[in-house]
Amino acid sequence: MSLAPPPDRAAPSPPDLQREAIKRVASVMALHLEGLAARSAGEIWTREPEFRSHFERPEQLHESCRVSLGAALSSLSVGHLEPARATQVRNLGRSASTQGIPLEVALRALRIDYLVLWGEMLLVARTTDARTLQSLINASEPVWAAIDGVMVEFTGGYRSNQDERNRADAAHREALVARLLDGRPVEPDEVNEWLGITPTDRLVVVAAHRPDQATRDALERVVRYASMRGAWTDRGDMAFGIVALRTEQPGRLRVALQRVPSLRAGLSETHHLAQIAEAARQANLAFESITPGAAEVATVFDHPLGVLVAGQSELATMLARSFLAGVLERPERERDLLLETLVAFDDADGSVSDVAERLFCHRNTVLNRLAKISRLTGASFTAPRDLAHVALSAQVLRSRGLDAVTAPTVGR
């Protein structure tokens, strides 16, 4: 004969007893939430002195404690954290972030909240009956799991607000850098507060092809490694940075930037805060003077002809088009071979052998092409003045491309 009780009279299982005890105690405590919040606020005020810099008196903590404790009790009563309660807790986390309370301090305060809560829950259970007390003690794990769920929501709200603030701060810094680069008025105190730059700092502007995130991180890393500070903004496909050198030499920045793989960047001379717009112009010209596709960190002194062409691109293109007029009138295939040879001749500093090696052709072929260019342009490849025309035209072809030179001149 079976000794088991009938199904309708079966004893509750331990998990059922635990859920019943949790719900019963939480429901009772919810009736006394205001007093519980006041006790918790007093505990936080006493045990976490850092809160005193954010609140004038412990009563101001009451509302925060009421929200966090109310959410925990509600979760324990219904078995889950309701959406409206979760929103309240996330907003509480956002508020703590806005007030500037460090996350670890805010979480310690929440733990005090819930230690007070757990102690009161045990006290209520003890005054109920022995079975409720024992069931609640056995249910400590699900109780704290529910409390952890509330803390997760709080942390999510805090970090979400921090992310928004960080994005807003980054946007403000970028806008401030843009104003400096444009030469628009700025308050030195604002620049010092947001960028850490003072009017007496020695500054260099960096102009680089807009890097991907990995390259941007590497840029900021090498600047910090060189004990400098930088502030950046993007403009189209370019990135501009203002770097404070402090007492270091500009060459140290250049060496640091050369460690960034495949970086193509121009550097200005050293300037002060009031001269940043001019420094930005110099950095951009230095960038434009670099051979397209080349990885190099250059100053305006490295490629002076390239700087001049970049600074007066339309005039330089007009002069090149005029010098090369006879070449440009030849059939397309012949024209392209002659222009390729002209650029290679300039790249090789006039060495015919090097040109032949670069173009994979015989030395005599190079000489024949140069002779044809000479006839079509009327230039001598030994006369300094004519070589200046050759160098200018080659630079225009390098930096602006064939299409710019072959485009019809406006008005013709």
Side-chain angles (χ1 to χ4, degrees):
M1 177 183 292
S2 172
L3 298 178
D8 60 340
R9 295 170 58 189
S13 66
D16 290 336
L17 291 175
Q18 291 175 10
R19 283 192 292 270
E20 181 184 340
I22 291 171
K23 184 175 182 179
R24 182 185 305 164
V25 172
S27 299
V28 171
M29 294 187 65
L31 301 174
H32 306 283
L33 177 60
E34 296 298 328
L36 182 65
R39 286 196 296 277
S40 183
E43 284 289 320
I44 293 171
W45 186 264
T46 301
R47 295 169 60 178
E48 286 293 334
E50 191 162 348
F51 267 76
R52 298 171 193 169
S53 63
H54 301 282
F55 300 92
E56 293 182 0
R57 55 188 184 277
E59 290 79 6
Q60 293 176 319
L61 288 169
H62 182 273
E63 176 61 19
S64 298
C65 294
R66 191 184 66 79
V67 169
S68 62
L69 291 168
L73 288 171
S74 173
S75 179
L76 292 170
S77 295
V78 301
H80 63 274
L81 186 60
E82 296 172 304
R85 294 284 189 175
T87 298
Q88 289 179 333
V89 174
R90 289 184 69 84
N91 288 339
L92 189 61
R94 293 175 63 84
S95 177
S97 170
T98 300
Q99 289 177 273
I101 302 172
L103 179 58
E104 62 274 15
V105 174
L107 290 178
R108 286 203 303 268
L110 278 181
R111 291 189 188 98
I112 293 173
D113 256 349
Y114 298 135
L115 286 172
V116 170
L117 173 64
W118 178 240
E120 292 295 321
M121 288 181 71
L122 292 176
L123 182 60
V124 170
R126 185 178 294 114
T127 59
T128 304
D129 56 63
R131 190 177 76 167
T132 299
L133 175 60
Q134 188 57 53
S135 297
L136 186 63
I137 292 172
N138 294 337
S140 61
E141 185 173 342
V143 168
W144 283 98
I147 288 172
D148 283 344
V150 177
M151 296 180 74
V152 166
E153 291 295 332
F154 178 91
T155 303
Y158 187 101
R159 288 180 172 157
S160 172
N161 190 69
Q162 284 291 98
D163 289 342
E164 292 176 12
R165 292 179 65 190
N166 289 340
R167 286 193 294 270
D169 288 350
H172 184 82
R173 283 192 293 270
E174 288 197 17
L176 191 55
V177 172
R179 284 161 54 195
L180 288 169
L181 296 174
D182 290 339
R184 287 180 282 163
V186 292
E187 290 295 331
D189 289 345
E190 184 182 14
V191 177
N192 188 19
E193 177 185 354
W194 285 89
L195 305 181
I197 293 174
T198 70
T200 59
D201 282 338
R202 299 167 64 243
L203 308 172
V204 169
V205 172
V206 181
H209 190 272
R210 187 171 181 176
D212 56 25
Q213 191 57 50
T215 304
R216 172 65 63 86
D217 292 344
L219 273 173
E220 296 179 354
R221 199 160 47 243
V222 298
V223 168
R224 288 196 303 269
Y225 179 78
S227 300
M228 304 173 190
R229 290 196 312 279
W232 301 83
T233 190
D234 292 331
R235 290 187 164 185
D237 61 353
M238 294 288 292
F240 288 85
I242 302 174
V243 179
L245 300 179
R246 296 300 186 185
T247 59
E248 293 82 2
Q249 296 299 317
R252 187 174 180 188
L253 173 61
R254 186 175 187 177
V255 170
L257 293 176
Q258 286 170 337
R259 298 192 184 105
V260 180
S262 304
L263 179 65
R264 182 168 176 251
L267 302 183
S268 73
E269 292 185 277
T270 304
H271 290 75
H272 291 300
L273 189 60
Q275 305 161 322
I276 287 300
E278 171 60 22
R281 191 182 73 87
Q282 283 188 7
N284 192 59
L285 288 174
F287 174 86
E288 294 292 340
S289 73
I290 301 171
T291 301
E296 182 183 354
V297 179
T299 70
V300 290
F301 303 107
D302 294 323
H303 308 291
L305 186 57
V307 170
L308 293 175
V309 169
Q312 295 289 337
S313 59
E314 294 302 325
L315 177 60
T317 302
M318 184 184 70
L319 294 174
R321 187 182 296 127
S322 175
F323 175 69
L324 296 171
V327 176
L328 298 176
E329 292 173 356
R330 304 304 297 166
E332 183 176 333
R333 177 173 173 74
E334 180 185 359
R335 177 201 68 189
D336 290 351
L337 285 173
L338 294 177
L339 293 178
E340 180 184 41
T341 303
L342 179 75
V343 174
F345 178 83
D346 186 64
D347 287 339
D349 290 329
S351 171
V352 174
S353 298
D354 286 351
V355 174
E357 185 176 346
R358 292 179 186 215
L359 301 183
F360 304 102
C361 62
H362 194 275
R363 187 173 186 278
N364 289 339
T365 302
V366 175
L367 290 172
N368 289 335
R369 292 178 187 174
L370 292 176
K372 183 171 288 189
I373 294 172
S374 181
R375 288 196 303 273
L376 293 171
T377 61
S380 167
F381 283 92
T382 59
R385 179 174 296 181
D386 291 343
L387 285 174
H389 283 292
V390 170
L392 175 67
S393 300
Q395 180 61 38
V396 170
L397 286 165
R398 271 193 297 266
S399 60
R400 304 208 66 199
L402 178 62
D403 290 344
V405 178
T406 57
T409 303
V410 177
R412 288 193 178 181

